[in-house]
Amino acid sequence: MNVPLLDLKAQFLPIRTEIMAEVQAICDEQSFIMGSRVMAFEESVATYTGARYAIGCASGSDALLLSLMAMGVKAGDEVVTVPFTFFATAGAISRLGAKPVFVDIHPDTFNIDPQLIERAITSRTKAIMPVHLFGQCADMAAINEIAKRNNVYVIEDAAQAIGAGLQGKRAGVLGDTGCFSFFPTKNLGGFGDGGLITTNDKVLADSMAMLRVHGSQVRYLHEAVGINSRLDALQAAVLRIKLKYLDQWTEGRRKNAERYQYLFAKTKHVDCVTLPHTTPGNFHVYNQFTVRAPKRDALRAFLKEKGIGTEVYYPLPMHLQNCYRELGHQKRSFPLSEQAADEVMSLPIYAELTEAQQAYVVEMIAEFYKRA
Ligand SMILES: *Cc1c(COP(=O)(O)O)cnc(C)c1O
């Protein structure tokens, strides 16, 4: 049996006609950058997340960068974040000449451990940037409390968490800005790169809307040095259609996650695998279903042989990356991030996955540990 990690064709097929009509309309219009389709999509995401403002941009990486720029983060400043994340989180901070100050994760959720944040804050700290990793929100109540007390901003890296919720609120309104990615493998994926920032703060919203078009409000007049980071009409049109189905797809992912829990619980030889943990009040959207597995690399090789796709998000924490050598961290600086990098593995969880495919995945994992 073949079980890919993700099957975007299965998602596309039922909405093909609807999407192709929009693609055709845009081709006929030959109007590609920004425009009414982008505005309509921004409005839809604002409504969906509950945010007052939504600003489309070219990628999730740029959403983070634009947030930091609007907050005035510059060379010499510090931003607190996690080492166990996709590179863009730390990269956005460094791009502005600021320093990513890492704090370790909580082993249950893979998200920033709020208990460790306070001691990482200095007079140079401008913001805290938690990541809602794998689709589960970080402990935002604790983070916001620390941020308020220290007068720093909070930027949600919600790239993996559109639709995720915490205490009845959605990701994107849990900090000062919420940063989303529409990279094709995210829960709301475009037909290329795309991103968006949400906020309830008018000053930040205006600033980000200006910074994404080279700091210009009136054409050829520039108020600030911005960047070129626009969402194009094609992406906006595709994403606006897909947004209508997002909750349905999320339900599919959540049902599959529940089924994995059930299948693992009743299967012999797999009790050594640690399944994802959801903390109370969280609405997990499972961009990834990430487990900890002994002998992970051998298990992955075995599953690959059996036609099952898996991936390691992420194999090397930021503080051990070559480009961050100058920060002077060593191995064991952030032991829980390092341990996670060594142990984690993501299993197929997409909405169209069948029961038979899931049963096969668990059966093959059991087969591996039986032999091991
Ligand atoms: C995908 C991702 C990003 C970056 O998004 P792009 O659209 O690929 O630039 C940032 N942070 C996290 C946690 C991500 O998963």
Side-chain angles (χ1 to χ4, degrees), residues 58-64 85-89 131-134 157-160 179-183 185-186 193-195 287 314:
S59 68
S61 302
D62 278 1
L64 296 166
T85 180
F86 178 60
F87 181 77
T89 317
V131 181
H132 304 324
L133 204 67
F134 304 139
D157 183 339
Q160 302 182 6
C179 301
F180 295 96
S181 164
F182 306 121
F183 185 78
T185 63
K186 307 292 160 122
D193 277 311
N287 178 239
Y314 295 92

Side-chain angles (χ1 to χ4, degrees), residues 35-95:
S36 62
R37 284 186 174 82
V38 171
M39 282 171 67
F41 175 63
E42 288 172 336
E43 241 163 68
S44 303
V45 178
T47 305
Y48 182 81
T49 56
R52 219 164 290 156
Y53 310 99
I55 297 111
C57 62
S59 68
S61 302
D62 278 1
L64 296 166
L65 187 66
L66 286 163
S67 291
L68 291 164
M69 289 172 81
M71 292 168 185
V73 172
K74 56 186 188 314
D77 291 342
E78 295 178 355
V79 177
V80 173
T81 191
V82 277
F84 188 59
T85 180
F86 178 60
F87 181 77
T89 317
I93 300 164
S94 306
R95 284 269 305 272

Side-chain angles (χ1 to χ4, degrees), residues 42-257:
E42 288 172 336
E43 241 163 68
S44 303
V45 178
T47 305
Y48 182 81
T49 56
R52 219 164 290 156
Y53 310 99
I55 297 111
C57 62
S59 68
S61 302
D62 278 1
L64 296 166
L65 187 66
L66 286 163
S67 291
L68 291 164
M69 289 172 81
M71 292 168 185
V73 172
K74 56 186 188 314
D77 291 342
E78 295 178 355
V79 177
V80 173
T81 191
V82 277
F84 188 59
T85 180
F86 178 60
F87 181 77
T89 317
I93 300 164
S94 306
R95 284 269 305 272
L96 296 171
K99 179 181 165 187
V101 174
F102 298 120
V103 308
D104 215 346
I105 56 167
H106 193 285
D108 286 350
T109 61
F110 303 110
N111 283 331
I112 194 165
D113 185 344
Q115 305 241 347
L116 306 175
I117 293 175
E118 196 93 48
R119 75 187 74 151
I121 289 182
T122 72
S123 58
R124 288 184 293 273
T125 308
K126 287 284 148 53
I128 306 170
M129 194 186 273
V131 181
H132 304 324
L133 204 67
F134 304 139
Q136 173 167 224
C137 292
D139 184 351
M140 297 305 290
I143 294 163
N144 284 325
E145 193 271 315
I146 296 164
K148 199 166 185 183
R149 192 145 32 75
N150 291 280
N151 196 27
V152 300
Y153 287 108
V154 176
I155 301 166
E156 294 174 76
D157 183 339
Q160 302 182 6
I162 191 158
L166 189 63
Q167 257 91 41
K169 277 188 176 178
R170 273 187 168 149
V173 296
L174 305 169
D176 293 295
T177 66
C179 301
F180 295 96
S181 164
F182 306 121
F183 185 78
T185 63
K186 307 292 160 122
N187 284 18
L188 181 63
F191 286 7
D193 277 311
L196 181 140
I197 316 124
T198 51
T199 185
N200 284 330
D201 184 322
K202 183 163 188 344
V203 174
L204 289 178
D206 289 346
S207 176
M208 293 185 292
M210 186 174 78
L211 288 166
R212 74 174 162 176
V213 286
H214 285 306
S216 169
Q217 283 166 325
V218 177
R219 194 177 296 187
Y220 306 128
L221 300 181
H222 301 269
E223 308 303 323
V225 179
I227 58 176
N228 171 18
S229 184
R230 299 166 299 211
L231 190 63
D232 61 68
L234 206 62
Q235 299 309 332
V238 168
L239 290 165
R240 186 148 178 259
I241 292 170
K242 282 187 152 198
L243 182 60
K244 294 190 295 180
Y245 300 94
L246 179 61
D247 284 347
Q248 176 187 321
W249 293 333
T250 297
E251 270 323 301
R253 285 173 181 271
R254 286 170 56 83
K255 198 182 280 173
N256 291 343

